[in-house]
Amino acid sequence: MTDNINEKEVTPEVIEDAAEQDAKSKVMKEKDIDKVSKKQLIMKIAVQTGLYLFLGIMAIIVLFPFYWMLISSVKTLNEYNSTVPTLWPKQFRWSSYAVAFTGELNLGRLFLNTCIVGIVSTILSLIVTVLSAYAFARFEFKGKNVLFAALLATMMIPGELFTITNYVTVSSFGWLKTYTVLIVPFLVSVFYIYLLRQNFMQIPNELYLAAKVDGTSDLKYLWKVMIPLAAPTLISITILKMMGSWNSYIWPRLVANDMAHKLITVGLRGESFKDMSGMVDYPAQMAAVVIVTIPLFLVFLFFRKYIMRGVSRSGIKG
Amino acid sequence: MNKKKNQWKAWIYLLPALIVLAIFTVWPIINTLRMAFSNGYTYAKELKYGAFSFSFGFENFVSVTSYQGFTTCLGNTLLLTVLTVPISTMLALLVAVALNSIKFVRKTMQTIFFLPYVTNSIAIGMVFMAMFTMIPGVKATDPYRSIGIINSIIEAFGGTRISWVNSDSSKAANLAVLVIYIVWNALPFKILVLLGGLQSVNKQYYEAAKIDGTSRFRTFWRITVPLLSPMIAYVIITGFIGGFKEYSSIVGIFGNENSGDSMGPTGSPERWNTMVGYIYQQITAQHHGDASAAALILFAIIFAVTMVNMYVSKKKVHY
């Protein structure tokens, strides 16, 4: 297309002609540019339509399971089991949600257990993480770099390798079927320490020296200056840690599979959701799944920025 | 004086973390090595005969690798990883590029594509299971009450129903469901990372390509992919690591109330067992030596794959 325009460039031989020719070529050029931009416009529209079509289809695929979960949870068992599935419930039945709370599943208890473990482990984990990140970011001590590198290296080891020994360890401590066993072994996350240390290091040293001159103690400086400045990272850590408790399955199932300490995911997968006749009551099951899923969605909607920031750096789910 | 004081202080700050790490991270590393190389190790035997009653050797590794169940686990893990990582990476790349070239409703789309990340993989696995499962009649001879939404959609388009996850399902059908679910689950993280990379690409390259009249396809392969290669390498490496540790997605789909760790359709709970699944079985069965040996093999595989990936990306990745 660029060639086209070049061809039309005329070199006038006679001066009188020149103006005329020039005007002519200008008109032609404009015409061509019009043509080109029209073509481009059509191309652009076609490409944009294609993009939206592709994204739309992908979005439907991504959303469909959520949609199916929601509508299934309010269907009657008969409608759910009908030969022709309905895409919108003929009649809404909310009692499945009541069943999830009152039935064998005992969602209330599972919620309570998960909240206790989630909140306590998040608070303790934050304290430990802040203290360690502070030590790594602000203090000079022998072996600091070696220690930090060694900690980072442990991140490469799959968690299952630790689980074998930890299971033996917690049994010999007598911790099986307690809250402690769900909280303490995962208190320290090298990744969080790393994340927070990077954030702490960005805070200029001058602030620290100024605080020292004013006679501020290290702890006070940490509390009054460092923590407020690193608040976004701390919020990311809090949310990721809470989500981790909510989603953890393997370890809790191994060490605390009793009703008094069971966490929500373990309870959900271990429940049969059968009705009197032994049929699986899928609406009840889906209602329970909705109840487990919705809190995560709400947290996500409110803290979108913090979650995405934390996640993009980790690659760790839960 | 001041420096010494600080040294002492730093260790105080680190103390809580170091105590927990020493017990639950450092000791397990040492102990796993010890257990793996102690012939026929179990914790019960150690309690009975003492820690020094085992001879050093590779017997645990031999017993693990010669056990047929383990070969199945290894094969399943490899198959799932090799299938899901390229599919999810390609799809995520396409979605990220598409998201990057639109303006209208972009934020909404971004939120939608991130949603699978903030879900519980067991819970949503149960939804996928419900979508694919066929509900039998009261008696075994009765026709199916419901063939599941996915089969209904397939039949609406003129296809034939498939037993995806029921007890009579084939391995290939199971595999299709697992791959769909794992890819669905893996997309959000990859899209997030790749989109982040795309947004930091200098717009000048695209303008230059436009002026030269480069086709979109060529622009994609010659500009987008090379500039994005560090992020692509990153999602591939983390994808491989995640793939080798696949476990809860399978439990989400196949687990049932009788054995929450069922790794296959009713009747064949071992069919889709993975490396991690095998390790947990050995822990529950108190075969700590075998579990340790398997965990070390898993670590070795992950380590090797990561190194190969890094080596390849060093050659191919443009920084």
Side-chain angles (χ1 to χ4, degrees), chain A residues 136-197:
Chain A
F136 278 121
R138 267 292 153 264
F139 292 114
E140 286 305 328
F141 55 93
K142 243 188 206 155
K144 175 170 123 169
N145 292 332
V146 177
L147 182 64
F148 194 63
L151 287 189
L152 287 183
T154 62
M155 281 172 67
M156 275 188 59
I157 301 169
E160 290 69 33
L161 200 143
F162 304 124
T163 310
I164 308 162
T165 302
N166 287 347
Y167 181 68
V168 175
T169 309
V170 296
S171 334
S172 61
F173 286 177
W175 283 2
L176 289 185
K177 298 183 180 162
T178 58
Y179 287 130
T180 319
V181 75
L182 297 171
I183 296 169
V184 175
F186 300 104
L187 216 49
V188 183
S189 155
V190 174
F191 172 67
Y192 296 154
I193 294 179
Y194 167 78
L195 207 61
L196 195 59
R197 171 191 173 257

Coordinates of all heavy atoms in Angstrom, one line a residue, chain A residues 136-197:
Chain A
F136 N 16.6 -9.3 58.4 CA 17.4 -9.5 57.2 C 17.5 -8.2 56.4 O 18.5 -8.0 55.7 CB 16.6 -10.5 56.3 CG 17.0 -11.9 56.6 CD1 16.0 -12.8 56.9 CD2 18.3 -12.4 56.6 CE1 16.3 -14.1 57.2 CE2 18.6 -13.7 56.9 CZ 17.6 -14.6 57.2
A137 N 16.6 -7.2 56.6 CA 16.6 -6.0 55.9 C 17.5 -4.9 56.6 O 18.1 -4.1 55.9 CB 15.2 -5.5 55.6
R138 N 17.5 -4.9 57.9 CA 18.1 -3.8 58.6 C 19.4 -4.0 59.3 O 20.2 -3.2 59.5 CB 17.1 -3.2 59.6 CG 16.2 -2.1 59.2 CD 16.9 -0.8 58.9 NE 16.2 0.0 57.9 CZ 16.5 -0.1 56.6 NH1 17.5 -0.8 56.1 NH2 15.8 0.6 55.7
F139 N 19.6 -5.3 59.7 CA 20.8 -5.6 60.6 C 21.9 -6.2 59.7 O 21.6 -6.9 58.7 CB 20.4 -6.5 61.7 CG 19.5 -5.9 62.7 CD1 18.2 -6.3 62.9 CD2 19.9 -4.8 63.5 CE1 17.3 -5.8 63.8 CE2 19.1 -4.3 64.4 CZ 17.8 -4.7 64.6
E140 N 23.1 -5.9 60.2 CA 24.2 -6.6 59.6 C 24.7 -7.6 60.6 O 25.0 -7.3 61.7 CB 25.4 -5.6 59.3 CG 25.1 -4.7 58.1 CD 24.8 -5.4 56.8 OE1 25.4 -6.5 56.7 OE2 24.0 -4.9 56.0
F141 N 24.8 -8.8 60.2 CA 25.3 -9.8 61.1 C 26.1 -10.9 60.3 O 25.8 -11.1 59.1 CB 24.3 -10.4 62.0 CG 23.1 -11.0 61.3 CD1 23.1 -12.4 61.0 CD2 22.0 -10.3 60.9 CE1 22.0 -12.9 60.3 CE2 20.9 -10.8 60.3 CZ 21.0 -12.2 59.9
K142 N 26.9 -11.6 61.0 CA 27.7 -12.6 60.4 C 26.9 -13.7 59.8 O 25.9 -14.2 60.4 CB 28.7 -13.2 61.4 CG 30.1 -13.0 61.1 CD 31.0 -13.8 62.0 CE 32.4 -13.1 62.1 NZ 33.0 -13.4 63.4
G143 N 27.2 -14.1 58.6 CA 26.4 -15.2 58.0 C 25.1 -14.9 57.5 O 24.3 -15.7 57.1
K144 N 24.8 -13.6 57.4 CA 23.4 -13.1 57.0 C 23.1 -13.6 55.6 O 22.1 -14.2 55.3 CB 23.3 -11.6 57.0 CG 22.0 -11.1 56.5 CD 21.9 -9.6 56.8 CE 21.7 -8.8 55.6 NZ 21.3 -7.4 55.9
N145 N 24.0 -13.4 54.6 CA 23.7 -13.7 53.3 C 23.7 -15.2 53.0 O 22.8 -15.7 52.3 CB 24.8 -13.1 52.3 CG 24.7 -11.6 52.3 OD1 23.6 -11.0 52.5 ND2 25.8 -10.9 52.1
V146 N 24.6 -15.9 53.7 CA 24.5 -17.4 53.6 C 23.2 -17.9 54.1 O 22.6 -18.8 53.5 CB 25.7 -18.0 54.4 CG1 25.7 -19.5 54.3 CG2 27.0 -17.5 53.9
L147 N 22.8 -17.4 55.3 CA 21.5 -17.9 55.9 C 20.4 -17.6 55.0 O 19.5 -18.5 54.7 CB 21.3 -17.2 57.2 CG 20.1 -17.6 58.0 CD1 20.2 -19.1 58.4 CD2 19.9 -16.8 59.3
F148 N 20.4 -16.4 54.4 CA 19.2 -16.0 53.5 C 19.2 -16.9 52.3 O 18.1 -17.3 51.9 CB 19.4 -14.5 53.2 CG 18.1 -14.0 52.6 CD1 16.9 -13.9 53.3 CD2 18.1 -13.5 51.3 CE1 15.8 -13.4 52.8 CE2 16.9 -13.0 50.7 CZ 15.8 -13.0 51.5
A149 N 20.4 -17.1 51.7 CA 20.4 -18.0 50.5 C 20.0 -19.4 50.8 O 19.2 -20.0 50.0 CB 21.8 -18.0 49.9
A150 N 20.4 -19.9 52.0 CA 20.0 -21.2 52.4 C 18.5 -21.3 52.5 O 17.8 -22.3 52.1 CB 20.7 -21.6 53.7
L151 N 17.9 -20.3 53.1 CA 16.4 -20.3 53.3 C 15.7 -20.3 51.9 O 14.8 -21.0 51.7 CB 16.0 -19.0 54.1 CG 16.3 -19.0 55.5 CD1 15.6 -17.8 56.2 CD2 15.8 -20.3 56.2
L152 N 16.2 -19.4 51.0 CA 15.6 -19.4 49.7 C 15.7 -20.8 49.0 O 14.8 -21.2 48.3 CB 16.3 -18.3 48.8 CG 16.0 -16.9 49.2 CD1 16.6 -15.9 48.2 CD2 14.5 -16.7 49.2
A153 N 16.9 -21.5 49.2 CA 17.1 -22.8 48.6 C 16.0 -23.8 49.0 O 15.6 -24.6 48.2 CB 18.5 -23.3 48.9
T154 N 15.6 -23.7 50.3 CA 14.6 -24.6 50.7 C 13.2 -24.5 50.0 O 12.4 -25.4 50.0 CB 14.3 -24.5 52.2 OG1 13.7 -23.2 52.5 CG2 15.5 -24.7 53.1
M155 N 13.0 -23.3 49.3 CA 11.8 -23.1 48.6 C 11.7 -24.1 47.4 O 10.6 -24.3 46.9 CB 11.7 -21.7 48.1 CG 11.3 -20.7 49.2 SD 11.4 -19.0 48.6 CE 10.1 -19.0 47.4
M156 N 12.8 -24.6 46.9 CA 12.8 -25.5 45.8 C 12.3 -26.9 46.1 O 11.9 -27.7 45.3 CB 14.2 -25.6 45.2 CG 14.5 -24.5 44.2 SD 16.0 -24.9 43.4 CE 15.7 -26.4 42.7
I157 N 12.4 -27.3 47.4 CA 12.0 -28.6 47.8 C 10.5 -28.8 47.9 O 9.8 -28.0 48.5 CB 12.7 -28.9 49.2 CG1 14.2 -28.8 49.1 CG2 12.4 -30.3 49.7 CD1 14.9 -28.8 50.4
P158 N 10.0 -29.9 47.3 CA 8.6 -30.1 47.4 C 8.1 -30.3 48.8 O 8.8 -31.1 49.6 CB 8.3 -31.3 46.5 CG 9.6 -31.9 46.3 CD 10.7 -30.9 46.5
G159 N 7.0 -29.8 49.2 CA 6.5 -29.9 50.6 C 6.3 -31.3 51.1 O 6.4 -31.6 52.3
E160 N 6.1 -32.2 50.1 CA 5.8 -33.6 50.5 C 7.0 -34.2 51.3 O 6.9 -35.0 52.1 CB 5.5 -34.5 49.3 CG 4.2 -34.2 48.7 CD 4.1 -32.8 48.0 OE1 5.2 -32.4 47.5 OE2 3.1 -32.2 48.0
L161 N 8.2 -33.7 50.9 CA 9.4 -34.2 51.5 C 9.4 -33.9 53.0 O 9.9 -34.7 53.8 CB 10.6 -33.6 50.8 CG 11.9 -34.3 50.9 CD1 12.7 -34.1 49.6 CD2 12.8 -33.6 52.0
F162 N 8.9 -32.7 53.3 CA 8.8 -32.3 54.8 C 7.7 -33.1 55.5 O 7.8 -33.4 56.7 CB 8.6 -30.8 54.9 CG 9.6 -30.0 54.2 CD1 9.2 -29.0 53.3 CD2 10.9 -30.1 54.5 CE1 10.1 -28.3 52.6 CE2 11.8 -29.3 53.8 CZ 11.4 -28.4 52.9
T163 N 6.6 -33.4 54.8 CA 5.5 -33.9 55.4 C 5.8 -35.3 56.1 O 5.3 -35.5 57.2 CB 4.3 -34.2 54.4 OG1 4.2 -33.0 53.6 CG2 3.0 -34.5 55.0
I164 N 6.6 -36.1 55.5 CA 6.9 -37.4 56.0 C 7.4 -37.3 57.4 O 6.9 -37.9 58.4 CB 7.9 -38.2 55.1 CG1 7.4 -38.1 53.7 CG2 8.1 -39.6 55.6 CD1 8.5 -38.4 52.7
T165 N 8.5 -36.5 57.6 CA 9.1 -36.4 58.9 C 8.2 -35.6 59.9 O 8.0 -36.0 61.0 CB 10.4 -35.7 58.8 OG1 11.3 -36.4 57.9 CG2 11.1 -35.6 60.2
N166 N 7.5 -34.6 59.3 CA 6.7 -33.7 60.2 C 5.5 -34.5 60.8 O 5.1 -34.3 61.9 CB 6.1 -32.5 59.4 CG 7.2 -31.5 59.1 OD1 8.3 -31.6 59.7 ND2 6.9 -30.6 58.2
Y167 N 5.1 -35.5 60.0 CA 4.0 -36.3 60.5 C 4.5 -37.1 61.7 O 3.8 -37.2 62.8 CB 3.5 -37.3 59.4 CG 2.4 -38.2 59.9 CD1 1.1 -37.6 60.2 CD2 2.5 -39.5 60.0 CE1 0.1 -38.4 60.6 CE2 1.5 -40.3 60.5 CZ 0.3 -39.8 60.7 OH -0.8 -40.6 61.1
V168 N 5.7 -37.7 61.6 CA 6.3 -38.4 62.7 C 6.5 -37.5 63.9 O 6.2 -37.8 65.1 CB 7.6 -39.1 62.3 CG1 8.3 -39.8 63.5 CG2 7.3 -40.1 61.2
T169 N 7.1 -36.3 63.6 CA 7.4 -35.3 64.6 C 6.1 -34.9 65.4 O 6.1 -35.0 66.7 CB 8.0 -34.1 64.0 OG1 9.1 -34.5 63.2 CG2 8.5 -33.1 65.1
V170 N 5.1 -34.5 64.7 CA 3.9 -34.1 65.4 C 3.2 -35.2 66.2 O 2.7 -34.9 67.3 CB 2.9 -33.4 64.5 CG1 3.4 -32.1 63.9 CG2 2.4 -34.3 63.4
S171 N 3.3 -36.4 65.7 CA 2.8 -37.5 66.5 C 3.5 -37.7 67.8 O 2.9 -37.9 68.8 CB 2.8 -38.9 65.7 OG 2.8 -38.7 64.4
S172 N 4.9 -37.6 67.7 CA 5.6 -37.8 68.9 C 5.5 -36.7 69.9 O 5.6 -36.8 71.1 CB 7.1 -38.1 68.6 OG 7.6 -37.0 68.0
F173 N 5.1 -35.5 69.4 CA 4.8 -34.3 70.3 C 3.4 -34.5 70.9 O 3.0 -33.7 71.8 CB 4.8 -33.0 69.5 CG 6.2 -32.5 69.1 CD1 6.3 -31.3 68.4 CD2 7.3 -33.2 69.6 CE1 7.6 -30.9 68.0 CE2 8.6 -32.7 69.2 CZ 8.7 -31.5 68.5
G174 N 2.7 -35.5 70.4 CA 1.3 -35.7 70.9 C 0.4 -34.6 70.3 O -0.6 -34.2 71.0
W175 N 0.6 -34.1 69.2 CA -0.1 -32.9 68.6 C -1.3 -33.4 67.7 O -2.0 -32.5 67.2 CB 0.8 -32.0 67.8 CG 1.6 -31.1 68.7 CD1 1.7 -31.1 70.0 CD2 2.5 -30.1 68.2 NE1 2.6 -30.2 70.5 CE2 3.1 -29.5 69.4 CE3 2.9 -29.6 67.0 CZ2 4.0 -28.5 69.3 CZ3 3.8 -28.6 66.9 CH2 4.4 -28.0 68.1
L176 N -1.3 -34.7 67.4 CA -2.4 -35.1 66.4 C -3.8 -34.7 67.0 O -4.0 -34.8 68.2 CB -2.3 -36.6 66.2 CG -1.1 -37.2 65.4 CD1 -1.3 -38.6 65.2 CD2 -1.0 -36.4 64.1
K177 N -4.6 -34.3 66.0 CA -6.0 -33.8 66.4 C -6.0 -32.7 67.4 O -6.7 -32.7 68.4 CB -6.8 -35.0 66.9 CG -6.9 -36.1 65.8 CD -7.8 -37.2 66.2 CE -7.8 -38.2 65.0 NZ -8.2 -39.5 65.3
T178 N -5.2 -31.7 67.1 CA -5.3 -30.4 67.9 C -5.2 -29.3 66.9 O -5.0 -29.5 65.7 CB -4.0 -30.3 68.8 OG1 -2.9 -30.3 68.0 CG2 -3.9 -31.4 69.8
Y179 N -5.5 -28.1 67.4 CA -5.3 -26.9 66.5 C -3.9 -26.6 66.2 O -3.5 -26.2 65.2 CB -6.0 -25.7 67.1 CG -7.5 -25.7 67.1 CD1 -8.3 -25.5 68.2 CD2 -8.2 -26.0 65.9 CE1 -9.7 -25.5 68.2 CE2 -9.6 -26.0 65.8 CZ -10.3 -25.8 67.0 OH -11.7 -25.8 66.9
T180 N -3.1 -26.9 67.3 CA -1.6 -26.6 67.2 C -1.0 -27.2 65.9 O -0.2 -26.6 65.2 CB -0.9 -27.2 68.4 OG1 -1.7 -26.9 69.5 CG2 0.5 -26.6 68.5
V181 N -1.4 -28.5 65.6 CA -0.8 -29.2 64.5 C -1.1 -28.5 63.2 O -0.4 -28.7 62.2 CB -1.2 -30.7 64.5 CG1 -2.6 -30.9 64.1 CG2 -0.2 -31.5 63.7
L182 N -2.2 -27.8 63.2 CA -2.6 -27.2 61.9 C -2.0 -25.8 61.8 O -2.0 -25.2 60.7 CB -4.2 -27.0 61.9 CG -5.0 -28.3 61.9 CD1 -6.4 -28.0 62.1 CD2 -4.7 -29.1 60.6
I183 N -1.5 -25.3 62.9 CA -0.9 -23.9 62.9 C 0.6 -23.9 62.8 O 1.2 -23.3 61.9 CB -1.4 -23.1 64.1 CG1 -3.0 -23.0 64.0 CG2 -0.8 -21.8 64.2 CD1 -3.6 -22.5 65.3
V184 N 1.2 -24.6 63.8 CA 2.7 -24.4 64.0 C 3.6 -24.8 62.8 O 4.4 -24.0 62.4 CB 3.1 -25.0 65.3 CG1 4.6 -24.9 65.5 CG2 2.4 -24.3 66.5
P185 N 3.4 -26.0 62.2 CA 4.4 -26.4 61.2 C 4.5 -25.5 60.0 O 5.5 -25.4 59.4 CB 3.8 -27.8 60.8 CG 3.1 -28.3 62.0 CD 2.4 -27.1 62.6
F186 N 3.4 -24.7 59.7 CA 3.5 -23.8 58.6 C 3.6 -22.4 58.9 O 3.2 -21.5 58.1 CB 2.2 -24.1 57.7 CG 2.1 -25.5 57.2 CD1 1.3 -26.4 57.8 CD2 3.0 -26.0 56.2 CE1 1.2 -27.7 57.4 CE2 3.0 -27.3 55.8 CZ 2.1 -28.1 56.4
L187 N 4.0 -22.1 60.1 CA 4.1 -20.8 60.6 C 5.0 -19.9 59.8 O 4.8 -18.7 59.5 CB 4.5 -20.8 62.1 CG 3.9 -19.8 63.0 CD1 2.4 -19.7 62.8 CD2 4.3 -20.1 64.4
V188 N 6.2 -20.5 59.4 CA 7.2 -19.7 58.7 C 7.1 -20.0 57.2 O 7.3 -21.2 56.8 CB 8.6 -20.0 59.3 CG1 9.6 -19.1 58.6 CG2 8.6 -19.8 60.8
S189 N 6.9 -19.0 56.4 CA 7.0 -19.2 55.0 C 8.2 -18.3 54.5 O 8.2 -17.1 54.7 CB 5.7 -18.7 54.3 OG 6.0 -18.3 53.0
V190 N 9.2 -19.0 53.9 CA 10.3 -18.3 53.4 C 9.9 -17.3 52.4 O 10.5 -16.2 52.3 CB 11.4 -19.4 52.9 CG1 12.5 -18.7 52.2 CG2 11.8 -20.3 54.0
F191 N 8.9 -17.7 51.6 CA 8.5 -16.8 50.5 C 8.0 -15.5 51.1 O 8.3 -14.4 50.6 CB 7.4 -17.5 49.7 CG 6.8 -16.5 48.7 CD1 7.6 -16.0 47.6 CD2 5.5 -16.1 48.8 CE1 7.0 -15.2 46.7 CE2 4.9 -15.3 47.9 CZ 5.7 -14.8 46.9
Y192 N 7.2 -15.5 52.1 CA 6.7 -14.3 52.7 C 7.8 -13.4 53.3 O 7.8 -12.2 53.2 CB 5.7 -14.6 53.8 CG 4.4 -15.3 53.3 CD1 3.6 -16.0 54.2 CD2 4.0 -15.1 52.0 CE1 2.5 -16.7 53.7 CE2 2.8 -15.7 51.5 CZ 2.1 -16.5 52.4 OH 1.0 -17.1 51.9
I193 N 8.8 -14.1 53.9 CA 9.9 -13.4 54.5 C 10.7 -12.7 53.4 O 11.0 -11.5 53.5 CB 10.9 -14.3 55.2 CG1 10.2 -14.9 56.5 CG2 12.2 -13.6 55.6 CD1 11.1 -15.9 57.2
Y194 N 10.8 -13.4 52.3 CA 11.5 -12.8 51.1 C 10.8 -11.6 50.6 O 11.3 -10.5 50.3 CB 11.7 -13.9 50.0 CG 12.1 -13.4 48.7 CD1 13.4 -13.0 48.4 CD2 11.1 -13.3 47.7 CE1 13.8 -12.6 47.2 CE2 11.5 -12.8 46.4 CZ 12.8 -12.5 46.2 OH 13.1 -12.0 45.0
L195 N 9.5 -11.8 50.4 CA 8.6 -10.7 49.9 C 8.7 -9.4 50.7 O 8.9 -8.3 50.2 CB 7.2 -11.2 49.8 CG 6.2 -10.7 48.8 CD1 6.7 -11.0 47.4 CD2 4.8 -11.3 49.0
L196 N 8.6 -9.6 52.0 CA 8.6 -8.5 52.9 C 10.0 -7.9 53.1 O 10.1 -6.6 53.2 CB 8.1 -9.0 54.3 CG 7.7 -7.9 55.3 CD1 6.5 -7.1 54.7 CD2 7.2 -8.4 56.6
R197 N 11.0 -8.7 53.0 CA 12.3 -8.2 53.1 C 12.6 -7.2 51.9 O 13.1 -6.1 52.1 CB 13.4 -9.3 53.1 CG 14.8 -8.8 53.0 CD 15.7 -10.0 52.7 NE 17.1 -9.5 52.4 CZ 17.6 -9.5 51.2 NH1 16.8 -9.8 50.1 NH2 18.8 -9.1 51.0

